[in-house]
Amino acid sequence: MNPLPEHPDFLWRNPEPKRSYDVVIVGAGGHGLATAHYLAKNHGITNVAVLEKGWLAGGNMARNTTIIRSNYLWDESAGIYEHALKLWEGLEDDLGYPILFSQRGVLNLAHSLQDVRDSVRRVEANVLNGVDAEWLTPDEVKKVCPIVNTSQEIRYPVLGATYQPRAGIAKHDYVAWGFARRADEAGIDLIQDCEVTGFTTDGDRVTGVRTTRGDIAAGKVALCAAGHTSVLTDMLGLRVPIQSHPLQALVSELLEPVHPTVVMSNAVHVYVSQAHKGELVMGAGIDSYNGYGQRGAFHIIERQMAAAVELFPVFARAHLLRTWGGIVDVTPDASPIVGHTPYENVYLNCGWGTGGFKATPGVGWCMAHTIAHDEPHPFNAPFTLERFVTGALVDEHGAAAVAH
Amino acid sequence: MQLIECPWCGPREEVEFHYGGQAHVAYPADPQALSDEEWAHYVFFRDNPKGLFTERWSHSVGCRRWFNAVRDTATYRFQASS
């Protein structure tokens, strides 16, 4: 495992908001910061503000389980997530900052004959799309991750797994700080404690945002607020097909290295990796109801723990250290919405559900392109808001290697 | 664990219930007349407020009846059910 880097002696400026910017990005999470970075780096656009109602990267970016993979079934999803994975592979050099990107691989377990068939199908689809993927037998699973219980005597025995060796984890805070530092160096203003409370409009154009720190005029506005997107779009009179749900995650106490890869299971629904420091990091499914409270119900954790202990008997004596919730924005087809809105200069990035972190550099790249050229990048072109009207659904429920 | 008030059975633990999303989404009165956009909004678009939300719940392991509730999505607290 990598040693932890020293804390930098400075991170970014803390400027007063100017009265006007070419581009205002709402949300200084991973997606907003990556969008800012690529606006500067790829398009030379630096008269940009990134507005954050709380503290930088303190929303979902601070609350996710940091898994990075691109083993999606459908071509459109494989396209954007694999684009992101390739960027992850060069991101430390690009940002000049360690992000502890560790390509330790991901196993997606199969527990039924139908799981096996779906998984093999996904492996073949991945290979056709240039995404690394293999099908592993239970014995091969055991070689990759010796602590997985491959006994066939348990309720949901492991019948095999898909394996993406290039998948892995990164240190989420460092990813955000790396993007933030680069954007700041390029002259982009990162403005925290600045909540958007409304918009000023002129017909089909938005002319600016109203904030808790005053009105700010904007040439273009990009909404990158993840689970809170509806709060913004409601103020624009714009309806988006997303529902916000709590998604809980948790960590154990620090343990010596026991878990060499990432393991995910749909059927029993738990996913686990071991952080660089040593915590077991686990996630489960979303809580069923709509919620913005950044916490969830305890029975979800209880079920998740039961699944984890059956799959990993070695975890039985680990202590739970803390739990938390993020707010995920789930669409009817479990795929994101990235691109234009009925307002000609407002761009939308939402609907990533439980999978936003892995897409961070890829979606930043595509959003920056969409904003700069006023047309979508080929990778985000399929993910329009209009697809719900035209019927051209991407439909990643069940195809995404995790159920939402 | 949160207690939810079933209008017929009284307060029961949250695990006994199934969530049904937004309440009062009526089937279109004249389905033939709907445009693609109107159909999309009926099928896929729901309100998603931060605050009070009128939604459906089913007491699925109890009386199995559906009911409406008003709940605050910021605090998760139920205000009323009927």
Side-chain angles (χ1 to χ4, degrees), chain A residues 236-352:
Chain A
L236 280 167
L238 176 65
R239 236 177 158 212
V240 288
I242 60 176
Q243 297 282 283
S244 296
H245 291 263
L247 173 65
Q248 301 187 75
L250 54 91
V251 293
S252 74
E253 62 196 318
L254 307 186
L255 301 171
E256 290 188 20
V258 291
H259 188 359
T261 183
V262 181
V263 172
M264 310 181 70
S265 168
N266 264 355
V268 299
H269 219 140
V270 65
Y271 35 95
V272 190
S273 65
Q274 188 167 17
H276 296 83
K277 270 192 300 186
E279 310 103 313
L280 298 168
V281 182
M282 298 188 214
I286 59 174
D287 285 47
S288 68
Y289 46 75
N290 289 27
Y292 288 89
Q294 294 183 319
R295 63 183 171 79
F298 189 73
H299 68 270
I300 302 287
I301 294 172
E302 197 174 18
R303 289 174 189 166
Q304 172 191 357
M305 290 293 90
V309 171
E310 184 166 80
L311 275 179
F312 302 92
V314 70
F315 292 177
R317 298 176 69 175
H319 293 100
L320 176 63
L321 198 67
R322 65 181 185 279
T323 74
W324 64 90
I327 301 305
V328 298
D329 41 338
V330 178
T331 59
D333 64 358
S335 298
I337 301 168
V338 186
H340 286 86
T341 69
Y343 288 94
E344 61 185 60
N345 59 338
V346 176
Y347 307 90
L348 191 57
N349 169 47
C350 66
W352 290 89

Side-chain angles (χ1 to χ4, degrees), chain B residues 8-66:
Chain B
W8 293 281
C9 307
R12 293 290 188 275
E13 289 192 346
E14 170 179 4
V15 289
E16 294 192 13
F17 294 85
H18 176 81
Y19 183 62
Q22 184 178 352
H24 311 306
V25 179
Y27 189 77
D30 185 6
Q32 307 290 342
L34 261 54
S35 67
D36 286 353
E37 189 164 2
E38 287 166 333
W39 267 118
H41 278 264
Y42 169 66
V43 175
F44 296 123
F45 288 63
R46 295 290 179 269
D47 294 342
N48 187 31
K50 184 176 188 173
L52 295 183
F53 190 38
T54 307
E55 58 194 11
R56 305 179 76 225
W57 288 82
S58 166
H59 189 192
S60 46
V61 303
C63 64
R64 300 187 56 77
R65 289 211 263 184
W66 284 93

Side-chain angles (χ1 to χ4, degrees), chain A residues 142-201:
Chain A
K142 195 83 179 167
K143 283 188 189 122
V144 173
C145 190
I147 59 171
V148 174
N149 181 4
T150 53
S151 162
Q152 299 302 295
E153 305 305 314
I154 61 177
R155 186 174 180 191
Y156 299 106
V158 174
L159 301 183
T162 68
Y163 184 48
Q164 184 180 20
R166 286 165 61 241
I169 59 172
K171 179 82 175 146
H172 53 288
D173 287 335
Y174 298 154
V175 173
W177 299 344
F179 276 118
R181 287 199 334 153
R182 272 286 188 258
D184 178 81
E185 284 167 8
I188 290 172
D189 287 352
L190 310 176
I191 301 165
Q192 304 177 80
D193 296 316
C194 182
E195 182 173 0
V196 171
T197 56
F199 295 87
T200 55
T201 58

Side-chain angles (χ1 to χ4, degrees), chain A residues 71-100:
Chain A
N71 57 347
Y72 280 70
L73 178 66
W74 303 110
D75 295 350
E76 301 94 329
S77 302
I80 197 163
Y81 285 111
E82 176 62 17
H83 174 57
L85 181 48
K86 285 181 177 140
L87 290 170
W88 280 113
E89 289 175 323
L91 201 55
E92 290 208 349
D93 288 343
D94 182 14
L95 299 180
Y97 192 67
I99 58 167
L100 304 193

